[in-house]
Amino acid sequence: MSKSGGNSKFVDIVDEIRQMIASDGLLPGDKIPSERELSERLSVGRSSVREALRALELLGLIETRRGEGTFLRDFSDHQLVQLLSTFILQNDRTKQDVRRTKEILEMGCLALMTEHPDLEEILAAVADEMEQASFTEEQFFRMLMKHGQNELLTKIWLIVSDYAKAIYKDDRMAGNKQGFHLLLDTVKTKNLTEIFQAYKNL
């Protein structure tokens, strides 16, 4: 097999493991199948599986605990995002793109919330949580994303939000809870124009 073919096979195995994790519904903190089970399920040699797992571990996506097994890591638990931001997010235009992308995702979430059958109850629960002095802007949108019923949107937002956090240290919730309460009230109207304006006024 040529070198490029070997690389292609390696990438295929990594991708198959990723797909299997998704199809099994595994979440951060869950244990993934053993090296032997992966080898059997994917019909590839254990050495190939070992190499793929090593790559995933180097990326910080899984972790091996001696005597326990291999587990999925929560990407927010490690510094990969912050590390990458040091190298690729120093351009001012790119920084602006990250912030704008985060805003677009959050406005998309707000739009999805207007379609939720339990909208008022969810907004009331968020408003109650906001009474905590330590409640942050990130927690606010995490709660809404949880009910947005779009897992892909949530996953993309989590990554972009982490990039934004590595670049900007500001938290719009600080000193502006009134603005967020106003946003919640506006979401109840289901008027997207007014909702987006309330969001932009944060």
Side-chain angles (χ1 to χ4, degrees):
M1 182 180 288
S2 68
K3 185 175 182 182
S4 59
N7 287 341
S8 175
K9 181 64 175 175
F10 168 73
V11 172
D12 287 345
I13 295 172
V14 171
D15 191 51
E16 285 178 21
I17 291 175
R18 181 190 59 76
Q19 289 182 40
M20 193 199 65
I21 287 170
S23 64
D24 286 358
L26 298 180
L27 298 171
D30 288 346
K31 186 176 181 178
I32 70 171
S34 68
E35 189 180 290
R36 187 177 79 174
E37 185 179 344
L38 287 171
S39 175
E40 291 173 354
R41 288 178 64 175
L42 302 178
S43 300
V44 294
R46 289 183 65 170
S47 61
S48 298
V49 169
R50 193 176 303 120
E51 184 183 1
L53 291 176
R54 189 178 300 119
L56 291 172
E57 188 161 24
L58 286 172
L59 288 170
L61 301 177
I62 60 173
E63 64 176 333
T64 301
R65 301 174 192 167
R66 184 171 295 179
E68 296 182 54
T70 304
F71 298 79
L72 274 186
R73 288 187 64 174
D74 185 338
F75 67 83
S76 62
D77 282 347
H78 62 84
Q79 303 302 310
L80 180 63
V81 169
Q82 287 77 3
L83 180 64
L84 288 175
S85 69
T86 304
F87 295 99
I88 67 175
L89 293 178
Q90 296 309 306
N91 179 282
D92 287 339
R93 173 62 187 273
T94 310
K95 290 180 181 179
Q96 292 170 12
D97 288 347
V98 169
R99 171 163 273 177
R100 181 62 180 144
T101 301
K102 177 174 177 286
E103 292 172 353
I104 291 169
L105 294 170
E106 289 170 353
M107 287 191 285
C109 173
L110 293 171
L112 287 174
M113 288 305 302
T114 65
E115 303 171 4
H116 202 291
D118 302 319
L119 178 62
E120 300 241 352
E121 291 88 338
I122 294 168
L123 297 182
V126 176
D128 286 344
E129 289 295 322
M130 282 173 61
E131 296 307 309
Q132 299 179 37
S134 60
F135 196 71
T136 64
E137 172 188 348
E138 182 182 13
Q139 289 173 302
F140 178 89
F141 283 105
R142 269 182 182 266
M143 287 190 72
L144 293 184
M145 289 281 174
K146 179 182 175 183
H147 296 285
Q149 299 178 311
N150 188 314
E151 288 187 18
L152 181 58
L153 176 72
T154 301
K155 288 177 180 178
I156 296 172
W157 174 81
L158 284 168
I159 295 170
V160 173
S161 182
D162 254 13
Y163 275 123
K165 207 163 42 174
I167 302 170
Y168 306 102
K169 306 304 178 185
D170 57 327
D171 184 335
R172 289 177 294 179
M173 180 71 73
N176 186 35
K177 285 196 175 180
Q178 183 178 355
F180 281 84
H181 277 296
L182 178 60
L183 176 59
L184 292 179
D185 289 339
T186 309
V187 173
K188 292 177 187 176
T189 70
K190 301 187 179 182
N191 184 314
L192 294 183
T193 301
E194 293 181 4
I195 292 170
F196 294 161
Q197 190 55 56
Y199 173 87
K200 291 174 183 176
N201 289 339
L202 291 176

